[in-house]
Amino acid sequence: MKTFTSMSQWQIYRDKLQQDSIGFVPTMGALHQGHLALVEASRKTNMFTVVSVFVNPKQFDDGQDFKAYPSNHQADLEQLEKAGVDVALVPDAAQIYVDDYRFKVTEMEFSQRLCGAHRPGHFDGVLTVVMRLLNLVRPDNAYFGEKDYQQLQLIRDMTTAFFMPVNIVACATVREADGLAMSSRNQHLDTRRRRQAAALYAALKNSCTANDAKQTLIGKGFEVDYVEDIADRRLAAARLGNTRLIDNVQI
Ligand code: AMP
């Protein structure tokens, strides 16, 4: 595996790459099986797989949350190498925001709802970093998890809106044995909250209505940002202490 911290070095390497098919998995690191499932999906259909590890400061609406975000580059790189990844991109913020964030992508409708309504500027940060990373990597296929369902839809719509020549591939949510969606943020849960956390998936799956699910979660000690049914999905965000969990299921 080759690792690049300099995006100009990577671009020189990318220009010389003659691969039939390049797959790309953007991540914020603290890797788990959910990320590795995306890598596996990419490796299955592409000759070459690129993974980025970049904790994007622009998608955090809360500075404390950014500071506390788990990070372990060494362990991440070892996992990626073992998973058969060809290139790891590990830029810092200056490598990505060469313009000091003068330019950004803003979506005016769906990004204002659900998580966007509770995290101002979050999806501007997400869409902007994904646009930059896709332009840096120029993959044929890019892989995103259904766990971040709103994000996945917005990224898909952005690539269509801007005629970006990439195929967005959705991957199913990978869960722990008790149903909790794997997430880097789960590391923040203490033993008691970790046990409580499984109720999120159960409530979404087993309740008749979004409001029933919300009431169940409140009863189980969650602070609920939202539970909403949109088309065939039920989506939710809820907090246990300082840890914000999101999940969604098909209904
Ligand atoms: P993150 O590092 O949390 O920004 O996630 C990077 C990518 O991995 C995103 O496309 C996520 O949707 C995806 N992902 C994170 N957790 C999971 C999971 N439990 N199952 C499937 N995909 C996931």
Side-chain angles (χ1 to χ4, degrees), residues 202-216 227-229 233-234 249-251:
L204 295 186
K205 207 168 47 122
N206 300 330
S207 305
C208 287
T209 66
N211 193 47
D212 287 351
K214 184 175 175 181
Q215 296 312 321
T216 301
V227 182
E228 266 190 56
D229 292 348
R233 308 282 318 176
R234 175 167 295 156
V249 298
Q250 190 159 25
I251 47 172

Side-chain angles (χ1 to χ4, degrees), residues 212-250:
D212 287 351
K214 184 175 175 181
Q215 296 312 321
T216 301
L217 289 170
I218 292 169
K220 291 197 180 283
F222 286 81
E223 266 181 71
V224 179
D225 277 0
Y226 64 84
V227 182
E228 266 190 56
D229 292 348
I230 297 185
D232 66 342
R233 308 282 318 176
R234 175 167 295 156
L235 305 102
R239 291 165 204 273
L240 283 174
N242 291 327
T243 308
R244 187 171 186 276
L245 303 172
I246 61 169
D247 204 346
N248 66 91
V249 298
Q250 190 159 25

Side-chain angles (χ1 to χ4, degrees), residues 59-70 119 185 188 242 244:
Q59 71 187 69
F60 288 82
D61 50 304
D62 170 352
Q64 264 323 97
D65 187 28
F66 173 59
K67 272 199 204 128
Y69 198 83
R119 304 185 65 190
R185 291 177 193 278
H188 292 316
N242 291 327
R244 187 171 186 276

Side-chain angles (χ1 to χ4, degrees), residues 26-28 32 34-35 38 69 144-145 147-148 151 172-174 182:
T27 82
M28 297 212 297
H32 50 67
H35 297 113
L38 270 54
Y69 198 83
F144 295 88
K147 187 199 147 245
D148 300 277
Q151 167 177 291
T173 302
V174 179
M182 289 192 184

Side-chain angles (χ1 to χ4, degrees), residues 25-38 52 54 59 69 143-149 151-152 155 169 171-176 180-186:
V25 180
T27 82
M28 297 212 297
L31 300 180
H32 50 67
Q33 289 304 318
H35 297 113
L36 295 178
L38 270 54
S52 61
F54 175 58
Q59 71 187 69
Y69 198 83
Y143 295 79
F144 295 88
E146 284 187 348
K147 187 199 147 245
D148 300 277
Y149 201 78
Q151 167 177 291
L152 166 67
I155 289 167
V169 183
C171 298
T173 302
V174 179
R175 299 180 180 281
E176 303 284 358
L180 176 65
M182 289 192 184
S183 164
S184 308
R185 291 177 193 278
N186 295 350

